Amino acid sequence: TVGIAGASALALDKKDQAISYFSTIIQKDPESEYFGTALFVRASEAERKRDFAAASQDYTKLLSMPNNSHHLDAAKVAEMKRKVLLLA
């Protein structure tokens, strides 16, 4: 699946390729089990590249997911909320 391909590319430190796979999931398969991971990875990479508007958008989408469907702990959620406020 595209999610496995994205996770594999990320594990191999092929970030641009991983972002391409994860963007496909975000655009075409919001029900994917990898959707939360895709948003988080894409937001983190956008932040690293100083594309703060894109990072804020993806973090906001991630935070709007139903409770814990993103599989992030409370500390990560709090960190993302701070980032959204700072990056917006």
Side-chain angles (χ1 to χ4, degrees):
T1 70
V2 177
I4 293 171
S8 297
L10 190 61
L12 295 171
D13 203 34
K14 295 182 177 181
K15 291 180 182 172
D16 289 338
Q17 190 175 12
I19 296 302
S20 176
Y21 287 126
F22 288 141
S23 291
T24 298
I25 291 170
I26 292 165
Q27 293 167 1
K28 296 183 179 181
D29 193 7
E31 300 300 316
S32 169
E33 66 182 290
Y34 291 94
F35 187 74
T37 300
L39 283 170
F40 183 76
V41 170
R42 194 170 81 169
S44 298
E45 188 62 12
E47 184 181 359
R48 187 186 71 75
K49 291 181 176 181
R50 300 191 187 289
D51 185 351
F52 300 125
S56 180
Q57 277 187 329
D58 282 348
Y59 284 136
T60 299
K61 285 181 193 173
L62 187 58
L63 290 169
S64 72
M65 291 176 68
N67 253 0
N68 208 29
S69 61
H70 45 59
H71 307 292
L72 297 169
D73 61 34
K76 274 282 189 215
V77 171
E79 178 185 342
M80 279 191 293
K81 286 179 180 178
R82 282 191 298 277
K83 285 182 179 188
V84 167
L85 290 172
L86 291 171
L87 299 175

